[in-house]
Amino acid sequence: MRIFALTLLFAGCSAAAPQKLITLPNASEAPFSPPTILSVSFSGNGCPQDGGKRQVWGGFEHFAFTLPDFAASYGGSKPKSVNCQVHMNLAGGEVGWQVALKDVWTKGHVELEPDVRLSQYITTYYSQDAANTISTLQTLSSPSNSSLSREVTLHAGIPSESAVWSPCTGRNGVVGILNVNFRIAFTSTNGASYGYYGGGKNSTVTERWAWQWRRC
């Protein structure tokens, strides 16, 4: 397994980072038409089967979804580590192309007292080659003398040289089953501190993806 890491430090009064738009690469970098999503399913304690209704939109090019039950906490009633894995079955791809996950944006409400660290892990692989896995790590903390409480968007980027590529699409158009696991975990040296990640008063956790392509 390969891991990329990024650490973020926020002052309690700083403004939220603007979200980047998800766009499909231009025609020189992508096939004429994207593959078709045959099915999308979810698993993990952050997206229980008997939980709230998840909304999925955007099609393949701008794939996004909500996670109404996703919540983790440190020193609270929720688990310290929560995950949700998405399983996307893709077909109808163009012959001679491979696709890989390039970007993942996750948005949720965060509360961090001093000495509490939030870690986000994004892990991706195709079912046809489950041993070929890439993981990214982003960490978030507040300064030691202040707390953080606001909506935050975290970005996980995967460079092309490290991406997990789909099998080369043949005449049958099969692309494969892509699995993407999103996990939040809290750690702290202060057992009395508090941390939270999940939905806010008027918001829910959301996740968005973008893609990269290559010929094969």
Side-chain angles (χ1 to χ4, degrees):
M1 177 185 292
R2 296 160 288 160
I3 299 177
F4 293 87
L6 173 67
T7 300
L8 302 174
L9 179 66
F10 282 91
C13 61
S14 62
Q19 296 184 36
K20 297 181 180 179
L21 295 177
I22 295 178
T23 57
L24 191 67
N26 63 43
S28 65
E29 300 172 323
F32 179 75
S33 61
T36 299
I37 300 175
L38 295 182
S39 64
V40 176
S41 59
F42 298 81
S43 62
N45 64 341
C47 47
Q49 298 303 308
D50 59 351
K53 183 178 180 181
R54 293 174 291 273
Q55 295 182 348
V56 178
W57 71 93
F60 180 81
E61 295 96 326
H62 308 287
F63 184 70
F65 54 93
T66 61
L67 296 173
D69 300 297
F70 198 99
S73 66
Y74 184 89
S77 60
K78 304 295 183 180
K80 293 180 183 178
S81 178
V82 174
N83 82 291
C84 181
Q85 186 164 196
V86 182
H87 315 277
M88 176 186 281
N89 190 3
L90 296 168
E94 293 201 12
V95 176
W97 285 90
Q98 291 173 287
V99 64
L101 191 67
K102 180 182 180 182
D103 297 284
V104 175
W105 288 268
T106 58
K107 184 175 69 173
H109 179 76
V110 174
E111 297 178 17
L112 291 177
E113 291 187 349
D115 304 320
V116 179
R117 172 168 291 190
L118 179 152
S119 297
Q120 172 185 272
Y121 301 87
I122 302 293
T123 302
T124 180
Y125 66 94
Y126 281 90
S127 294
Q128 290 85 342
D129 187 9
N132 184 19
T133 302
I134 183 73
S135 288
T136 67
L137 168 63
Q138 295 78 42
T139 59
L140 178 66
S141 59
S142 62
S144 58
N145 60 349
S146 64
S147 297
L148 172 70
S149 178
R150 60 185 171 86
E151 198 169 84
V152 170
T153 297
L154 296 177
H155 171 236
I158 304 173
S160 60
E161 63 271 17
S162 302
V164 173
W165 295 94
S166 68
C168 189
T169 302
R171 292 184 178 180
N172 62 4
V174 173
V175 178
I177 300 175
L178 175 65
N179 306 278
V180 180
N181 188 56
F182 162 47
R183 182 168 74 92
I184 290 291
F186 284 104
T187 56
S188 180
T189 57
N190 184 353
S193 290
Y194 177 76
Y196 171 82
Y197 180 93
K201 184 177 180 181
N202 298 305
S203 64
T204 187
V205 174
T206 61
E207 188 171 335
R208 302 186 298 155
W209 299 356
W211 309 95
Q212 53 192 327
W213 304 85
R214 72 179 184 185
R215 293 187 180 273
C216 53

